[in-house]
């Protein structure tokens, strides 16, 4: 019997990439600590900031208290992806077949590269040098499985063939949730549960049988268990879709105006959707690629929750070109051209032009002369991910509603200008409280809730849900007829009948109420273990409030119509 062919995976990881990209975009000195914020919390920080005590999850005020000299940047996925493109291109020129998992992390098959360069160690050295030439530091990890290679990259380790499980066994179980491209949001709760169960190492978790894990935990725990046991996974694949669906338009003569490129993009959109219709599929992830006369390649992948229409595809091509140009017009500087690979915009007023700095050691006969923009010679549209044509739900008259289509195009346009996280959509999620039952997801991403709403969720707030949820939970006072503040007794009842509610400078009589209901949630972590909820109806049906109580204080959590 023939032995199974061993697949080796190489992972290249750039530590703290969002902070590195933010510092490069703002031309920050390497000696100054940097943090990246999202929703006023730290999502990434540089090594200097971490050495000063800054950690992910801290609020902005807490981070600045630890390190007053911090440079604070906002989370910008477009910036991270744009500045990581030169790194990915450098790796792809050294070893082709790169698969990008997220900005700052990519993987590729290591077997062929090791044969070409002589060994896996020499391959890692060549890739480190190639990335260093772009001014970026990186770490390399090589292992049999993709997830093991990614965890190995965080330690600059090359795991011998067949030793993945032994390498992972000694790592803390928290490493299973360290990489967002390997784990969903629920992985943090799983790691917390494993800690409380006494499973502190990945090897302890891997020692459980698959039957024990599947019968006691969810689907994410099964995936984490396979990762902990270094079981076979999907190998890296650079291009997963059929090449016959790709369309391109050779421009003769080359075009150097955005409006002319957008016209070519609209023509390509029609051709692309003709190919998709012939194959009975629809596109949900689209790669827009442009080749210039200087031999440069600009590429960006658009991901949409709903299949793209020809109009939506044409709009994305136009917005993508405009976004590349506008970004450099607003914040680009000539001294950053080597870093980003995108030069400043030239041309007469009213003419948006594109050019990129020619790569080193490349002589293109049709390259633009110094000081002029490099025109576009080949725009290309490639469907990265497709679904069956039945996933596209059309309207009653063969198309989508005009108003809905205009609204969607306007929102996507906002995303193109402000970033993907600028437009969010609420999705029904699982949970007991009103805020837990809403998951905010960026428009165009897959509408996957943080928790399954179909589960029983015993003790959840009964229907109907509040019409308005107050995230900041303003404080109110609940009083009896004697003017005393009301709290609950040891038996979980109101100490007296509620008679008045004071909210700031206003006061309303309470005519009816229901509850209170004790909350026995997360009692092990001290979260809402001693909290309660109650409904109160104010005078003359002015409004119904959902109150949340904790530490002898009442807060307004929601309003009912």
């Amino acid at each position: 019997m023939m032995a199974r062919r061993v697949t080796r995976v190489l992972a290249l990881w750039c530590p703290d990439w969002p902070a590195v990209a933010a510092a490069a975009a703002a031309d920050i000195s390497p000696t100054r600590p940097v943090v990246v914020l999202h929703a006023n919390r730290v999502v990434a920080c540089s090594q200097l900031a971490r050495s000063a005590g800054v950690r992910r999850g801290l609020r902005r005020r807490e981070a600045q208290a630890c390190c007053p000299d911090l440079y604070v940047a906002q989370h910008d996925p477009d910036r991270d992806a744009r500045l990581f493109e030169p790194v990915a291109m450098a790796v792809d020129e050294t070893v082709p077949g790169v698969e990008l998992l997220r900005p700052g992390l990519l993987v590729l098959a290591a077997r062929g590269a090791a044969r070409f360069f002589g060994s896996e160690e020499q391959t890692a050295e060549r890739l480190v040098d190639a990335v260093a030439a772009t001014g970026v530091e990186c770490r390399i990890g090589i292992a049999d499985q993709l997830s093991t290679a990614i965890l190995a990259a965080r330690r600059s380790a090359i795991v011998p063939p067949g030793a993945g499980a032994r390498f992972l066994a000694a790592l803390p179980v928290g490493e299973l949730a360290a990489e967002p491209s390997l784990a969903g949001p629920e992985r943090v709760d799983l790691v917390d549960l494993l800690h409380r169960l006494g499973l502190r190492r990945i090897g302890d978790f891997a020692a459980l049988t698959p039957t024990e894990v599947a019968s006691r935990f969810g689907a994410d725990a099964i995936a984490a268990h396979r990762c902990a046991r270094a079981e076979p996974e999907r190998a890296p694949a650079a291009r997963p879709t059929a090449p016959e669906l790709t369309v391109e338009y050779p421009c003769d003569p080359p075009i150097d105006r955005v409006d002319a490129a957008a016209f070519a993009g609209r023509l390509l959109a029609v051709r692309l959707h003709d190919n998709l219709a012939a194959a009975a599929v629809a596109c949900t992830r689209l790669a827009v690629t442009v080749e210039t006369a200087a031999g440069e390649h600009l590429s960006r992948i658009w991901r949409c929750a709903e299949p793209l229409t020809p109009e939506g595809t044409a709009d994305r091509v136009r917005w993508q070109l405009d976004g590349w140009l506008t970004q450099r017009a607003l914040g680009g500087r000539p001294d950053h051209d080597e870093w980003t690979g995108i030069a400043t915009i030239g041309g007469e007023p009213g003419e948006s032009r594109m050019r990129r700095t020619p790569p080193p050691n490349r002589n293109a006969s049709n390259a633009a002369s110094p000081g002029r923009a490099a025109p576009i010679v080949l725009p290309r549209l490639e469907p990265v991910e497709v679904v069956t044509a039945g996933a596209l739900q059309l309207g009653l008259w063969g198309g989508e509603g005009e108003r809905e289509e205009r609204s969607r195009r306007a929102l996507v346009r906002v995303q193109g200008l402000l970033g993907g996280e600028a437009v969010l959509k609420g999705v029904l999620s699982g949970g007991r409280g009103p805020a837990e039952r809403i998951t905010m997801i960026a428009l165009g991403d897959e509408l996957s809730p943080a928790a399954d709403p179909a589960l029983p969720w015993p003790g959840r707030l009964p229907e109907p849900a509040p019409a308005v949820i107050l995230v900041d939970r303003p404080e109110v006072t609940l009083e009896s007829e004697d003017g005393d503040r009301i709290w609950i007794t040891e038996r979980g009842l109101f100490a007296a009948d509620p008679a008045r509610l004071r909210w700031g400078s206003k006061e309303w009589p309470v005519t009816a109420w229901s509850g209170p209901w004790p909350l026995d949630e997360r009692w092990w972590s001290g979260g809402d273990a001693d909290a309660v909820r109650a409904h109160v109806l104010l005078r003359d049906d002015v409004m119904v409030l959902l109150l949340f109580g904790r530490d002898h204080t009442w807060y307004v959590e929601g309003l009912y119509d």
Side-chain angles (χ1 to χ4, degrees):
M1 182 174 64
M2 296 180 60
R4 183 178 62 88
R5 181 180 178 181
V6 178
T7 301
R8 300 287 283 172
V9 180
L10 183 148
L12 186 146
W13 176 57
C14 298
D16 309 319
W17 180 254
V20 173
D27 196 17
I28 299 300
S29 170
T31 60
R32 184 175 179 182
V34 179
V35 295
V36 179
L37 301 181
H38 179 60
N40 204 38
R41 288 189 179 273
V42 176
V43 295
C45 60
S46 63
Q47 179 59 39
L48 292 176
R50 195 158 38 247
S51 62
V54 180
R55 294 293 183 271
R56 294 177 59 182
L58 291 182
R59 296 184 180 274
R60 174 173 182 165
R61 186 178 303 172
E62 297 170 337
Q64 290 178 326
C66 296
C67 185
D69 192 36
L70 277 178
Y71 172 77
V72 178
Q74 294 300 320
H75 180 55
D76 186 356
D78 287 345
R79 175 195 62 209
D80 301 342
R82 183 176 65 252
L83 296 184
F84 190 67
E85 183 63 22
V87 178
M89 292 178 60
V91 174
D92 195 58
E93 290 176 355
T94 306
V95 180
V98 168
E99 181 176 352
L100 182 65
L101 299 186
R102 62 170 177 83
L105 177 63
L106 54 83
V107 295
L108 51 90
R111 187 180 181 90
R115 289 201 302 264
F116 181 81
F117 291 110
S119 67
E120 293 179 346
E121 291 78 6
Q122 293 179 0
T123 302
E125 292 177 359
R126 292 292 296 269
L127 290 177
V128 170
D129 293 341
V131 174
T134 66
V136 179
E137 296 181 356
C138 71
R139 298 181 183 179
I140 302 292
I142 303 178
D144 293 343
Q145 307 304 329
L146 185 143
S147 58
T148 307
I150 292 175
L151 295 180
R154 304 175 72 89
R155 289 164 173 78
S156 300
I158 298 179
V159 182
R166 186 167 63 252
F167 167 77
L168 296 174
L171 300 182
V173 73
E175 290 292 314
L176 295 175
E179 175 52 48
S181 63
L182 295 179
E186 63 273 14
R187 185 67 60 86
V188 177
D189 295 334
L190 173 64
V191 169
D192 180 66
L193 177 59
L194 295 178
H195 265 285
R196 289 184 281 107
L197 293 176
L199 306 177
R200 305 300 176 86
R201 300 289 175 181
I202 293 181
D204 300 333
F205 183 44
L208 300 177
T209 65
T211 302
E212 291 173 335
V213 175
S215 61
R216 290 168 173 82
F217 304 98
D220 182 70
I222 298 175
H225 190 247
R226 291 182 59 86
C227 173
R229 294 166 63 93
E231 295 188 1
E233 300 173 339
R234 177 187 64 84
R239 297 297 181 187
T241 55
E244 59 267 15
L245 297 178
T246 301
V247 294
E248 57 185 30
Y249 177 68
C251 302
D252 187 16
I255 54 178
D256 56 0
R257 294 176 57 94
V258 173
D259 52 356
F263 179 81
R266 182 169 294 276
L267 177 63
L268 283 175
V270 175
R271 293 181 180 178
L272 172 66
H273 283 269
D274 288 342
N275 292 351
L276 294 174
V281 294
C283 178
T284 56
R285 292 179 63 196
L286 176 69
V288 181
T289 305
V290 169
E291 296 183 11
T292 68
E296 299 293 334
H297 295 261
L298 300 173
S299 181
R300 174 65 61 83
I301 294 179
W302 285 83
R303 177 175 179 175
C304 302
E306 297 180 355
L308 286 168
T309 62
E311 294 78 10
T313 300
D315 286 339
R316 281 161 177 79
V317 175
R318 175 169 55 85
W319 294 333
Q320 186 59 69
L321 294 175
D322 186 44
W324 277 324
L325 297 177
T326 304
Q327 183 68 27
R328 300 305 298 167
L330 294 178
R333 289 178 298 276
D335 57 340
H336 279 285
D337 290 344
E338 285 190 4
W339 170 262
T340 63
I342 303 176
T344 53
I345 301 169
E348 298 299 328
E351 295 184 359
S352 298
R353 297 176 180 265
M354 177 190 306
R355 64 184 177 95
R356 294 191 62 175
T357 306
N361 301 326
R362 178 179 295 177
N363 296 320
S365 60
N366 58 345
S369 60
R372 294 178 58 84
I376 297 173
V377 296
L378 186 66
R380 181 186 298 110
L381 301 184
E382 179 180 0
V384 179
E385 183 177 80
V386 296
V387 297
T388 59
L392 179 58
Q393 182 64 43
L394 299 177
L396 294 177
W397 291 273
E400 297 178 313
E402 184 178 356
R403 294 183 179 179
E404 291 78 3
E405 179 64 17
R406 285 204 306 264
S407 301
R408 184 184 299 108
R409 291 165 64 182
L411 294 176
V412 174
R413 172 61 171 163
V414 173
Q415 283 185 314
L417 295 175
L418 303 180
E421 298 295 329
V423 181
L424 303 177
K425 183 177 181 179
V427 179
L428 180 63
S429 179
R432 295 176 175 86
E436 299 172 3
R437 303 199 63 194
I438 299 177
T439 301
M440 302 304 296
I441 299 177
L443 180 68
D445 287 351
E446 184 179 358
L447 301 180
S448 300
D452 187 1
L455 295 179
W457 297 107
R460 73 178 183 182
L461 190 69
E463 299 292 343
V468 178
I469 298 176
L470 304 181
V471 180
D472 54 349
R473 288 180 177 176
E475 182 179 341
V476 295
T477 302
L478 200 60
E479 298 179 350
S480 65
E481 285 287 355
D482 299 331
D484 298 329
R485 293 194 172 193
I486 299 176
W487 188 238
I488 59 173
T489 64
E490 295 180 353
R491 299 178 62 88
L493 303 175
F494 280 125
D497 292 344
R500 284 183 299 275
L501 183 137
R502 298 182 184 273
W503 187 346
S505 60
K506 296 185 179 180
E507 173 185 338
W508 292 278
V510 176
T511 57
W513 67 90
S514 62
W517 309 292
L519 304 180
D520 293 330
E521 301 177 3
R522 302 182 183 273
W523 50 266
W524 57 87
S525 62
D528 294 338
D530 299 326
V532 295
R533 283 194 176 98
H535 284 140
V536 294
L537 174 64
L538 304 186
R539 180 199 51 167
D540 299 332
D541 295 340
V542 173
M543 69 179 73
V544 179
L545 306 182
L546 173 62
L547 300 184
F548 175 84
R550 184 171 54 195
D551 297 332
H552 293 78
T553 305
W554 293 100
Y555 306 90
V556 179
E557 190 175 18
L559 306 177
Y560 291 86
D561 288 337

